Amino acid sequence: MTARLLRIILLCLLTSSIQAQKLTLRDQKTKDPINKASILLQNSKKIHFSDASGQVNFVKSEANERLIIDHPAYKSLLLQGVFADSTVYLTEQVIEIDEVVISANKWEQDRAEVPNEILNISARQIEQNNPQTAADMLGQTGQVFVQKSQMGGGSPMIRGFSANSVLIMMDGIRINNAIYRGGNLQNVIMLDPNLLSGSEVIFGPGSSVYGSDALGGVMDFHTIRPSYTDQKQLESHGAGMMRFSTANLERTAHFHVNVQNHKWSNTFGFTFGNYSDLRAGGNRPSKYPDFGKRLEYVERMNDQDMVVINDKINKQRFSGYEQYNLMNKLSHRLSNGSTLTHTLYYTTSSDIPRYDRLTERDDADVLKNAGWYYGPQRFLLNALTFSNYSANFFYDGIRVILSNQYVEESRNDRRYQSASLRTRKEEVYVYALNIDLDKKISDKSEFFYGTELLANTVSSSAQRKDIDTEEITAEATRYPDGGSEYLSAAAYGSLKHRINEKVVLSSGVRFTYVNLKSKFEDKTFYNFPYDEIELTNGALSGSLGVVVSPIKNLRWNLLFSTGFRSPNVDDVGKVFDSEPGSVVVPNEDLSSEYTFNYETGINWKIANRVTLDGSVYYIQLRDAMVRRSFLFDGQSTIIYDGEVSDVEALVNVGEAHIWGYSIGLSAKLSEHFILKGRVNNNDGEDEIEHVPLRHTNPMFGNVSLSYRSDKLTIEAYSDFQAKRAWEDLAPSEQNKAYLYTSDGALGWYTINLRSLYQLNDELSLTASVENILDKHYRPYSSGISAPGINGIISARYTF
């Protein structure tokens, strides 16, 4: 009787222990929490979903049921109940199916309900592709074209737009600032791919949610997210990586570690990269045997500039640099529904030579510059983020971000046979408040809304230094010497409504107010006819889209959206040489430019083995800011940098159209083999001048065949670009003939091989050979040739 009573008591204790249990789901490799996994209870037929922390709570007897865990990116798992708070690790599927998108409305939602074309880059893809920089990470996808003026850079081109017409976001914070220029912008390399948990690119105008600059698209980068345990004791996990590449003798070291318990989480990460001069491919087209050769360069010897014959013609002197990235993210769980997170992100570099300017030659066919380099670029971000997920009348979720940024950059140049080194330095302080809210109105409708307050202050200084005597004299600043302020306030709303199981409607609207003020104090160099420029702009943008799923696994979307870009300090206040003999001066009457985007696309999964997707778009650009002849203080020419120069300014007279398409295929040939391909193309025309547009790119893409098992991944792939004839180049590109051949931008393709081997749960090795044929090629509009044959090896240890 006593034994029987004890068994009954033990059974009761066991039953009580499973009354309220918690299950945490994590990625077996990265240990990251898995969001939106479905858990089916076989007996009761109930379905639960894991939250952003990978957690699922069970009540009463649910934890004793058989559980089937499913997620599109992971292998299904059967559990015979959950008898204590525990963690389960899921194994990745052979094909990742990205069904969750974070960026489209700044909140997680089902990708199948979003009308935009979206590219998702996962942490697993970043590890396997092993990019040197964030620019390379984007270029490896085959969907984003990347231009480079130097090795330490990368300017993404998205749907015919680039630089300050595409928007960079990091953890919900705008990175574009008031001095982002309109040419080619290399700032994306500030973001370290080794410190990312993933990234998304939203193609097409995103101004209805993100505001100014999102004409061509939005690049949203997510740094490593905090994670918590179920216990009070501290636990830790992290990873370390070392990589070496032969084309530029790259030496990269990275590590990050996360220490956490049930209330606190802290992630610290650091990356150092050292890159020597880049070796270009030696296998050139027979028609252009000398294209891209670095035949000579300038060195300073005995206080004289000397032209030195390059004994290694494929070595692109000078292109090497160093970069450092550091991040610390401290997060505190205030309650089950609230967290407070502080993020510190810092990056800096050595001097970065601008290679295209070092190869530029004057009318006498002599190297024009003895030196041209960007000074160390410093970027510091501090952000305090409060998140709360507790349903009330106003929201189901709220995120408040208070942030500030500091950016320092400089440009340094010295002409051949001149001892005068010109240095122009800029400092930008950015302060921002973002409030984003998500409210589920009904089972069919969800409303996203928020506001953004933004303030930029810009200071600019300049000097000339005699490198022989070290005498320092004054020099004209790049931006107004009295300082500039750029203020912005905006509010937006976006509604998603499921009309029925087959049709989802999305709409959004945003109003943005911008005020810009620049002061001109020193008129020694230019007799400005004004002391101050002040601009005030208001812009209304919107979107309307629909997603239709007529049959299972077929999705069709249609989208109309508008975008705008308000003039910034670079547009309004900069005095610069656009090309020899021309100078661009400020225009106080400049206003916003607008785009109108029409696109449609499909996504069709056939028998869960083949996925076809594609999009076609047409964009109208109105009131575009373009350079035109201008009068400065009544004069059509001025003396600039020692020579008579025609005066130009940015004015709102431009009209243009852009069209393009993107087509992709992914086929699971067998349990282990996957075939993928992607082709993109766009073109456009200035409707006033009837000339090609600068930032449209030739057809490009990639194709790959990969083998994947639990431990080994091998991928053979080819990247390619079609040619663009000389007559099809924009006039601004034809003015840089030294970047091209007489036939224009040549077409090219590369053959490449990469592999990843998982030795055990902790250690993985990657080995790659890029450009196996050692082809010499230069991506469209780039000022430096791409790497020749390049061997890459790296080791990653995860704990």
Side-chain angles (χ1 to χ4, degrees), residues 21 39 54 350 445 492 567 590 598 699 783:
Q21 306 293 354
I39 297 89
S350 64
S445 299
Y492 76 92
L590 203 58
Y598 313 84
M699 184 181 69

Side-chain angles (χ1 to χ4, degrees), residues 652-673:
N652 294 103
V653 299
E655 294 186 5
H657 68 265
I658 299 168
W659 65 269
Y661 61 83
S662 177
I663 302 173
L665 165 72
S666 177
K668 186 176 180 181
L669 305 179
S670 68
E671 181 63 26
H672 299 288
F673 285 94

Side-chain angles (χ1 to χ4, degrees), residues 6 43 112 138 140 176 322 348 363 369 418 454 463 517 521 528 594 634:
L6 286 173
N43 294 341
L138 294 170
Q140 288 171 344
N176 289 38
E322 294 180 352
T348 188
D363 293 338
N369 295 303
S418 170
L454 189 70
Q463 68 175 36
K517 185 181 295 185
E521 295 179 349
F528 294 106
Y594 297 87

Side-chain angles (χ1 to χ4, degrees), residues 77-113:
L77 185 66
L78 175 65
L79 289 183
Q80 299 291 340
V82 181
F83 298 101
D85 290 353
S86 58
T87 300
V88 171
Y89 296 92
L90 301 185
T91 303
E92 180 193 21
Q93 289 244 52
V94 173
I95 296 182
E96 288 189 16
I97 306 173
D98 299 306
E99 293 295 341
V100 175
V101 167
I102 296 174
S103 303
N105 283 305
K106 297 190 177 182
W107 294 95
E108 291 187 354
Q109 55 188 307
D110 191 337
R111 182 172 184 172
E113 297 179 344

